[in-house]
């Protein structure tokens, strides 16, 4: 694999298996910049990864390799690039990014899907599972990554983050703006961060940059177009 | 008394966050959210302070009466000590 560019960082990533190699094709980079960071994997590094993170014996090597590169890239971004990878679904509308976050299985992808039904080609999926956010010149920017979730939605695109919304399942739809204090505990656990002091400090600096610069919401919702209409109008301030 | 080693405090978008690092993160993987007063006390306790010193610090920093300051300090120390975050707590 030649050079690739993820989150505006040029990497040299050398996978062993086709699975991750194919995921990378969208992020290939042909420009002049030299890679800042090189990682390659082979069966030894894959087995190490399996042991270190107690991954199941029957998890196929290509999937472990995928996790290995995800961790390596996230670590690098956290260490050097004022950002991290987190669990969420990010969608672009009107030049800005709108992000849904929730515990696994709450329906982030489903809700983003409702936005697509509602807004058609006025929106673009940035990433449906694990985008990267970086603070660039004091402003949060979200990037598509090769880790696009089970429906493989997203692309090699970026947009400034405008609002982040936490989803909570409920019978009746309602949305409200929430404070950083309210938002933090659930968001914290959705972000990739590690235990060493330096990168933890970086992570807190990143959180400060992100949460100071965007509007935060909580949407209680069912799975309906009405829920998407509600989040769309509140988060974008636009009418449908 | 003193905050145990291995914790970090930082202001995050107008609120204060405490997280654990290194080995300590294996016991405590979450976060603690503190308001400004609590963060002031936390920072004193990182260096080590007595209850009296903490009360004095609050009186110096904020416009509160002595009883409120004392109660605040007592409450906060109890919370920290219940959460096993302190070392060198005097038994009374």
């Amino acid at each position: 694999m030649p050079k690739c560019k993820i989150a505006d960082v040029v990497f040299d990533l050398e996978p062993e298996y086709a699975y991750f190699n194919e995921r990378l094709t969208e992020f290939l980079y042909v420009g002049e910049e030299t890679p800042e960071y090189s990682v390659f994997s082979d069966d030894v590094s894959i087995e190490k990864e399996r042991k270190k993170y107690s991954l199941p014996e029957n998890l196929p090597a290509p999937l472990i390799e995928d996790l290995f590169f995800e961790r390596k890239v996230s670590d690098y971004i956290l260490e050097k690039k004022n950002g991290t990878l987190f669990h969420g679904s990010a969608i672009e509308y009107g030049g800005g990014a709108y992000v849904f976050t929730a515990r696994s299985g709450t329906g982030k992808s489903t809700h983003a899907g409702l936005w697509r039904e509602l807004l058609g080609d006025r929106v673009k999926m940035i990433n449906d599972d694990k985008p990267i956010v970086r603070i660039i010149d004091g402003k949060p920017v979200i990037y598509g990554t090769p880790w696009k979730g089970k429906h493989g939605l997203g692309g090699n695109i970026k947009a400034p983050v405008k609002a982040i919304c936490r989803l909570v399942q409920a019978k009746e739809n309602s949305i409200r703006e929430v404070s950083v204090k309210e938002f933090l505990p659930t968001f914290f656990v959705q972000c990739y961060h590690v235990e060493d002091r330096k990168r933890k400090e970086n992570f807190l600096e990143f959180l400060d940059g992100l949460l100071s610069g965007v509007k935060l919401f909580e949407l209680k919702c069912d799975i309906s177009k009405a829920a998407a209409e509600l989040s769309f109008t509140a988060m974008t301030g636009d009418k449908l | 008394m003193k905050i145990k080693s291995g914790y970090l405090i930082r202001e995050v978008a107008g609120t204060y966050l405490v997280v654990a690092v290194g080995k300590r993160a294996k016991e405590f993987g979450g976060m603690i959210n503190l308001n400004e007063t609590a963060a002031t006390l936390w920072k004193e306790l990182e260096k080590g302070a007595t209850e009296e010193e903490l009360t004095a610090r609050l009186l110096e920093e904020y416009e509160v009466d002595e009883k409120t300051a004392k109660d605040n300090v007592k409450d906060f120390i109890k919370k920290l000590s219940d959460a096993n975050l302190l070392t060198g707590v005097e038994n009374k």
Side-chain angles (χ1 to χ4, degrees):
Chain A
M1 173 63 56
K3 296 183 278 188
C4 57
K5 196 171 194 170
I6 299 167
D8 274 340
V9 179
V10 179
F11 291 96
D12 172 18
L13 304 181
E14 312 263 354
E16 173 88 11
Y17 292 95
Y19 179 77
F20 187 64
N21 209 24
E22 271 162 36
R23 293 183 142 202
L24 270 183
T25 49
E26 228 178 339
F27 294 85
L28 287 184
Y29 172 72
V30 288
E32 294 297 305
E33 284 173 62
T34 27
E36 289 187 31
Y37 184 51
S38 302
V39 192
F40 40 99
S41 89
D42 53 22
D43 287 331
V44 176
S45 58
I46 289 168
E47 276 321 299
K48 258 189 170 164
E49 188 79 0
R50 191 197 296 277
K51 286 217 178 69
K52 191 169 174 194
Y53 295 95
S54 318
L55 301 168
E57 276 306 317
N58 59 359
L59 191 65
L63 297 185
I64 295 177
E65 182 175 74
D66 184 75
L67 291 170
F68 170 75
F69 280 108
E70 179 190 318
R71 185 173 66 78
K72 286 291 192 183
V73 167
S74 306
D75 272 343
Y76 189 78
I77 299 282
L78 196 53
E79 197 176 325
K80 308 252 171 150
K81 298 289 166 181
N82 203 359
T84 199
L85 173 139
F86 74 101
H87 229 123
S89 185
I91 197 159
E92 185 271 334
Y93 164 83
Y98 298 87
V99 184
F100 301 104
T101 165
R103 256 182 262 149
S104 255
T106 306
K108 314 181 268 286
S109 295
T110 310
H111 194 78
L114 291 167
W115 271 48
R116 293 197 300 277
E117 267 182 50
L118 198 65
L119 296 151
D121 56 14
R122 293 160 72 195
V123 293
K124 229 187 271 164
M125 281 310 289
I126 297 170
N127 185 283
D128 200 28
D129 192 38
K130 288 169 178 171
I132 284 174
V133 184
R134 288 180 57 197
I135 312 302
I136 312 266
D137 299 326
K139 297 258 188 311
V141 177
I142 195 160
Y143 296 86
T145 69
W147 302 283
K148 300 194 286 192
K150 56 176 181 244
H151 308 294
L153 295 170
N156 184 4
I157 47 176
K158 62 175 170 181
V161 183
K162 298 292 182 197
I164 310 178
C165 183
R166 169 168 78 208
L167 302 180
V168 180
Q169 283 176 352
K171 289 209 173 90
E172 284 187 28
N173 295 319
S174 64
I175 192 163
R176 65 191 177 96
E177 238 183 292
V178 293
S179 66
V180 171
K181 199 175 161 152
E182 260 184 291
F183 189 76
L184 258 170
T186 45
F187 186 65
F188 187 84
V189 295
Q190 299 299 330
C191 295
Y192 178 85
H193 49 106
V194 286
E195 290 161 4
D196 75 89
R197 181 175 285 269
K198 178 75 182 77
R199 277 177 290 179
K200 201 70 132 189
E201 279 169 359
N202 292 354
F203 176 62
L204 295 183
E205 186 186 335
F206 156 78
L207 273 183
D208 183 46
L210 175 65
L211 301 177
S212 302
V214 298
K215 283 191 169 175
L216 305 170
F217 293 90
E218 181 183 83
L219 175 70
K220 293 189 170 153
C221 63
D222 55 11
I223 300 168
S224 71
K225 267 200 175 172
E229 280 171 28
L230 190 63
S231 64
F232 173 80
T233 41
M235 289 169 79
T236 66
D238 284 358
K239 289 193 177 120
L240 274 166
Chain B
M1 66 204 128
K2 209 171 168 174
I3 298 285
K4 287 184 178 174
S5 64
Y7 291 95
L8 270 185
I9 183 167
R10 193 192 196 282
E11 190 191 343
V12 171
T15 180
Y16 289 86
L17 268 198
V18 172
V19 295
V21 296
K23 279 184 198 141
R24 191 68 71 190
K26 302 212 187 311
E27 312 165 8
F28 179 74
M31 47 154 273
I32 308 165
N33 198 197
L34 299 178
N35 63 21
E36 204 194 320
T37 321
T40 305
L41 295 176
W42 179 282
K43 285 174 193 164
E44 290 301 316
L45 282 165
E46 276 184 331
K47 294 177 266 177
T50 62
E51 227 175 285
E52 292 71 29
E53 284 165 342
L54 293 173
T55 307
R57 184 80 174 83
L58 285 191
L59 288 171
E60 167 193 317
E61 187 103 345
Y62 302 96
E63 286 184 18
V64 287
D65 59 72
E66 198 169 340
K67 170 149 188 347
T68 315
K70 260 189 186 158
D71 290 350
N72 254 315
V73 167
K74 274 207 164 50
D75 265 8
F76 189 59
I77 289 172
K78 178 158 187 345
K79 274 185 198 150
L80 293 181
S81 128
D82 289 348
N84 200 21
L85 294 163
L86 288 175
T87 71
V89 185
E90 314 109 65
N91 290 315
K92 283 186 184 169

